[in-house]
Each structure stands twice: as C-alpha cells, then as structure tokens.
Amino acid sequence: MSKGTSSITYPVGGEIEFVCASQSHQRRPSATRISNVSLEDITSTLLKTEQVAAEWLQLVAKVFWKGGSTFDAWLNASSAQIAQVLLTFPYSFAQMGLASGMAFMLLYGLLGCWSSYTMTCLYADYRKLKEMQNVTFEHHTIQWYEVLDGLLGPWWKAAGLIFNGALLFCTATIQLIACGSTVYYISDDLDKRSWTLIFGACCSLSILIPTAHNYRMWSFAGIIMTTYTAWYLALASLSIKREPSVTHHGPVSTEEYFTGATNFLYAFGGHAVTIEIMDAMWEPKKFKSVYVYAIAYVLLILVIPSAVTVYLRFGDKMLINPNAFAVLPKTKFRDAAVILMVIHQFIEFGLLAIPIYIIWEKFLGVHHKQCYIMKVIARVPVILGIWFVALMIPFFGPINSIVGSFLTSSSIYILPCAAHITYYGIGASRSDSAEPHSWIGAYYLNLGTIAWVLIVGVGFGAWASIQNMKKEIDTFGLFAKCYQCDQEP
C-alpha cells in the first residue's frame, strides 16, 4: 500500500511539483512585464511631476516676478512717485502755508503729468525709428539719454545723461538717508549715521535685481505700505487733541517759502525713471494714462489726507520737524508705520538705483553680456558711492529741496519740454509721429512750463535751498552723527 501510495503520491507530487514549476516559469515573464510597467509608470509620473513643478514655477514667476502690464506700470510709477517725501509734506506746508502749499502741489502734479506725456511721445517715436532700422531691443533697456541721442543728437544725449544720472543718484541717496532717519523713531539705541550704515548694507542687495520687469511684487508691497503709513498719519493726527497754542503763521520768510515750493517740485515728475518703467511695459504707449492714474492716487489717497491733517494738527511745530513721525507719540501703530515706510524706502531705492546700474553697465560694456554675475559685480561701485554721499550729507528734508531745484527742475521738466519743442518743431517729425497731438497747444504749454520752472524752481528755489542747506551744514557739519536728534520728542 505504501508502494501504491508512493506511486500515487509521487506522481501526484511530481505532477504538482511539475505544475508549480510550470506556473513558476509562466509567471516570471509576467512579473518581468509588471516590473517593466512599473518603471515606465514611475518615469512617466516623475516627468509629469517635473512638468507640473515647472508650470507652477512659471506661474509664480509670472505672478510675482515678471510684469509688463498696464497695472504693473501703475504699481511701479506709484511706488516710485511717493515714499519718504510723504513725511516731509507737512514740513513744506508749514514753510508755505496751506493754501500756497496746496496750489503748488496740484500745479506740479499737473506739470509732472505733462512732462511724462512729452517723454512718452518722444520714446514712441524713438522706438518706431529704431524698429524701422531693424534694431532689436532684446536684453536691452532703453533709457532717456538714448532717446535724446537717437532723436536729437549727442549734445542732447550728454544733457540727459548728466541730469538724469545725477537725479537718480541723488534720489536714491535720499532714500537711504530717509531709512536711517525714519528707523531712529523706533530705536534710538543707535544714532542715525549708524542706522544709515546698516541700511546701506541692506540696500546693496538691490544689485541683484535685473530690471524693472522684475519689480511687480516689490512695487505692490510698496503701495500697501505707503497707503498704511499715509492713513496712519491722518488718523493719528485726528485722534490727538489739538493744543490751543498751535499756530499756522504760513510763510515766515521768502527763503522758507521757496524751499517748501521746491520740495513739492521734487516730489512729482516720476523721479527720472519714467522711460525705464515705460520700456518694461508690453504696451508702452499706454503709459501716458498710467501716470495720470498714479498721480491721482498719490494726491487724493495718500498726500492730501495725511499732509493736511498733520499740518493742521501741529502747525508751525513742523518747521523744526521735517519728518512727520517726529511729532506723533510712540505707539505700536506708529512703529508699524515706521517699519513699513522703511521697507518701502528700501523698495524704492532699488527701483531708482536700477537705472543707474544699467547706465554704469553700458559704460563698462557689460550690459549686453549674458553673465549675470559680471553685471552684479559691475554695480558695486555705484552702491558704494550712494552709501558714501548719504553718510556725508544726512540732511533729511533740506536735501530734497536742493535736488528739486537743480536736478528735478532740469531733468523732469525743462529737458523733456525743450526736447519736445525741438524735435516736433520740424514738420516731418510731427507728420510721422507715433503719437499725433496738437502742436500749437503743446508748444505754448512747453514754453510756459520751462519759463515757470526756470524762474520759480531753478531761480528762487535754488537760492532758497542753498541758503537753507548752508545753515544745516553750519549747524550740524558734514557726516553728522545724528542730524536733528536733539529735537526729537
């Protein structure tokens, strides 16, 4: 039986074993196929994941980094237009009186819009001319002095380069001075000069930003910050009970009056970054309306509510306090406003410094190089120069008037209007213009702008600003350790 059993068992066992072996042999290719499918699936999944990640990175870059729309231009123009100068408007009202201050503010806002329009016309014709010559502007940022050179020749190029370059340099310097002056109201453990040293190091990071195309996120943040600061100034002033001793004498001298007037002149006109912002747009022709909206926002939402309420509340006390934060009590809301304003000043510094960097890159011959590191290294001397001047002349407030009377007058108002008259004075230029407009009306408006700015801005404004700056230097000296610190509350 055991034999039968074994005969039955072994065959069966052998059969079973054989079947198992057969099944094993049959399954191995199947397992191999499954393994191959799994590898393909993994590879496909990884590729899809990589593609999705790339799409998300492109989306993030598009949303936060790369911008050329009309809204981006408005963000850049509004952000560049107003920052630290917002804090000096009550000081200028105290110098001029409320009625005169409002009149000059609105006047220079309108003249700034007109100046921007003339530059838009000239830029459009320059670009049209170059495109007809098959010139491409890939990896190239068009600047104001190049427009003047292409349309009017080398002497105009030199004027644009000197005045615009100097204005950009000085305005960036003012932003750095303002950072040190403003943050002092949060912490006076360090003097203003030490804070300026620290913020100079922070502002040096601006050498890493390629062009105004890459400023969408920063400009948006700047607008939010300045809006908060403006309305903090207004509401904080309204919440403080007005003292009976507050006076509003208005202009106390001709010198003070025209010093205040040149601060308003300095505040408008685009701070010499008009062409760079326009060139970063996908449709540059729309900038003429963009700037009008930017000025409307700055005047109606930011400047008038804040500057008027601070001046009415504190009156002539503002004559010894160029920075509006100096007269407001220390609270968490003021500290927040100070921090946000300092951040915006840092942001605006970059927006103003980028055109200077690009000018310097072109001078050194590295602007069209593809090496990003080379461009960053080339920018270092520019930031060092701005840093040095900010430490040497830390006179927050008076320096605005100096820059306004000499550089803003020439670069923002006189030069564009004179260039517009010269170029469009030729009939062929008018007939071929990319931006057709009334020549007679433009001619007289240009002449009126030039005459007014020459007399009031360069003439009286320069005289008053120089006298005021001389007093500050005699009182505090160059490289002042802590300008007006003994006057802080």
Side-chain angles (χ1 to χ4, degrees):
M1 187 173 183
S2 65
K3 185 176 180 181
T5 303
S6 74
S7 66
I8 295 170
T9 301
Y10 284 107
V12 172
E15 186 181 356
I16 293 171
E17 187 178 354
F18 173 77
V19 170
C20 289
S22 300
Q23 289 176 350
S24 176
H25 279 293
Q26 291 174 356
R27 287 172 184 169
R28 278 174 193 156
S30 177
T32 304
R33 284 196 301 272
I34 292 170
S35 176
N36 289 338
V37 170
S38 298
L39 287 174
E40 290 173 1
D41 287 343
I42 292 171
T43 304
S44 176
T45 302
L46 287 174
L47 288 174
K48 288 180 180 178
T49 303
E50 184 179 354
Q51 184 179 0
V52 170
E55 290 175 355
W56 272 102
L57 285 174
Q58 290 178 356
L59 178 62
V60 170
K62 184 177 180 180
V63 172
F64 295 105
W65 184 249
K66 297 178 181 179
S69 67
T70 301
F71 180 65
D72 290 310
W74 178 83
L75 286 175
N76 286 335
S78 301
S79 183
Q81 189 62 65
I82 199 80
Q84 55 78 30
V85 75
L86 178 72
L87 306 175
T88 66
F89 282 139
Y91 168 64
S92 296
F93 276 132
Q95 291 174 313
M96 300 185 69
L98 184 60
S100 290
M102 288 291 294
F104 271 76
M105 182 192 298
L106 295 174
L107 173 64
Y108 286 127
L110 291 173
L111 292 183
C113 291
W114 172 249
S115 171
S116 174
Y117 175 73
T118 62
M119 295 175 78
T120 303
C121 294
L122 293 167
Y123 169 88
D125 280 4
Y126 170 77
R127 184 142 193 163
K128 178 183 176 182
L129 176 65
K130 291 300 179 181
E131 287 173 351
M132 289 173 61
Q133 298 171 355
N134 296 320
V135 176
T136 60
F137 294 103
E138 188 177 2
H139 306 302
H140 181 91
T141 300
I142 299 174
Q143 296 186 284
W144 176 228
Y145 73 90
E146 294 173 320
V147 173
L148 293 174
D149 181 35
L151 298 180
L152 297 170
W155 287 105
W156 286 88
K157 172 186 176 180
L161 187 58
I162 292 170
F163 286 113
N164 250 47
L167 176 58
L168 287 165
F169 185 94
C170 291
T171 307
T173 302
I174 290 172
Q175 300 308 312
L176 183 51
I177 293 170
C179 285
S181 174
T182 303
V183 78
Y184 181 79
Y185 296 106
I186 289 182
S187 174
D188 56 4
D189 294 337
L190 296 176
D191 55 73
K192 293 181 180 179
R193 186 172 64 190
S194 297
W195 280 119
T196 303
L197 278 168
I198 293 170
F199 277 99
C202 296
C203 288
S204 65
L205 296 174
S206 62
I207 65 176
L208 303 174
I209 300 174
T211 69
H213 273 295
N214 313 111
Y215 231 73
R216 168 184 286 176
M217 178 177 66
W218 306 113
S219 292
F220 184 80
I223 290 295
I224 299 298
M225 293 169 185
T226 307
T227 302
Y228 172 88
T229 302
W231 281 96
Y232 160 75
L233 293 174
L235 296 175
S237 299
L238 290 173
S239 66
I240 299 173
K241 184 178 179 181
R242 178 176 171 178
E243 298 177 3
S245 59
V246 171
T247 57
H248 301 83
H249 288 130
V252 295
S253 68
T254 305
E255 177 187 321
E256 291 281 358
Y257 185 86
F258 285 105
T259 300
T262 51
N263 188 41
F264 287 120
L265 182 149
Y266 161 79
F268 297 98
H271 297 316
V273 293
T274 300
I275 296 296
E276 286 78 7
I277 294 175
M278 194 186 311
D279 190 58
M281 295 179 67
W282 297 318
E283 298 180 78
K285 290 182 179 181
K286 293 184 177 181
F287 185 79
K288 56 183 179 293
S289 58
V290 166
Y291 190 76
V292 173
Y293 293 135
I295 289 296
Y297 182 84
V298 166
L299 281 174
L300 300 178
I301 305 300
L302 304 181
V303 173
I304 293 176
S306 61
V308 171
T309 51
V310 172
Y311 172 64
L312 291 178
R313 169 58 186 82
F314 297 100
D316 294 337
K317 187 177 180 180
M318 299 309 304
L319 288 170
I320 58 170
N321 292 289
N323 193 320
F325 283 134
V327 296
L328 295 171
K330 183 176 176 60
T331 64
K332 61 182 180 181
F333 298 106
R334 192 189 80 160
D335 288 350
V338 170
I339 292 170
L340 293 177
M341 178 55 71
V342 168
I343 295 173
H344 185 202
Q345 287 163 184
F346 171 75
I347 291 170
E348 186 172 2
F349 177 92
L351 196 58
L352 294 165
I354 285 172
I356 316 173
Y357 296 150
I358 293 173
I359 291 173
W360 187 247
E361 288 172 10
K362 292 174 181 177
F363 176 76
L364 296 179
V366 300
H367 181 62
H368 295 100
K369 303 289 184 182
Q370 296 300 310
C371 182
Y372 173 72
I373 300 299
M374 184 186 295
K375 293 182 179 181
V376 169
I377 295 172
R379 294 175 172 193
V380 171
V382 177
I383 183 64
L384 292 178
I386 293 172
W387 204 352
F388 177 81
V389 175
L391 292 169
M392 182 175 67
I393 311 174
F395 307 125
F396 181 74
I399 193 173
N400 293 15
S401 297
I402 284 283
V403 173
S405 60
F406 285 102
L407 298 177
T408 305
S409 294
S410 303
S411 181
I412 302 300
Y413 299 98
I414 295 174
L415 196 58
C417 291
H420 192 273
I421 289 175
T422 304
Y423 180 71
Y424 291 110
I426 302 171
S429 299
R430 294 197 298 274
S431 60
D432 295 335
S433 177
E435 289 284 337
H437 52 277
S438 171
W439 163 243
I440 299 299
Y443 177 79
Y444 285 110
L445 190 51
N446 283 325
L447 281 183
T449 301
I450 292 171
W452 175 269
V453 174
L454 273 174
I455 296 170
V456 178
V458 179
F460 289 107
W463 165 77
S465 300
I466 290 172
Q467 295 300 316
N468 191 32
M469 179 62 77
K470 184 175 180 299
K471 290 179 182 178
E472 300 300 326
I473 294 174
D474 291 342
T475 303
F476 296 97
L478 298 176
F479 297 99
K481 187 176 183 180
C482 208
Y483 173 62
Q484 289 187 335
C485 291
D486 56 334
Q487 297 177 15
E488 316 297 356

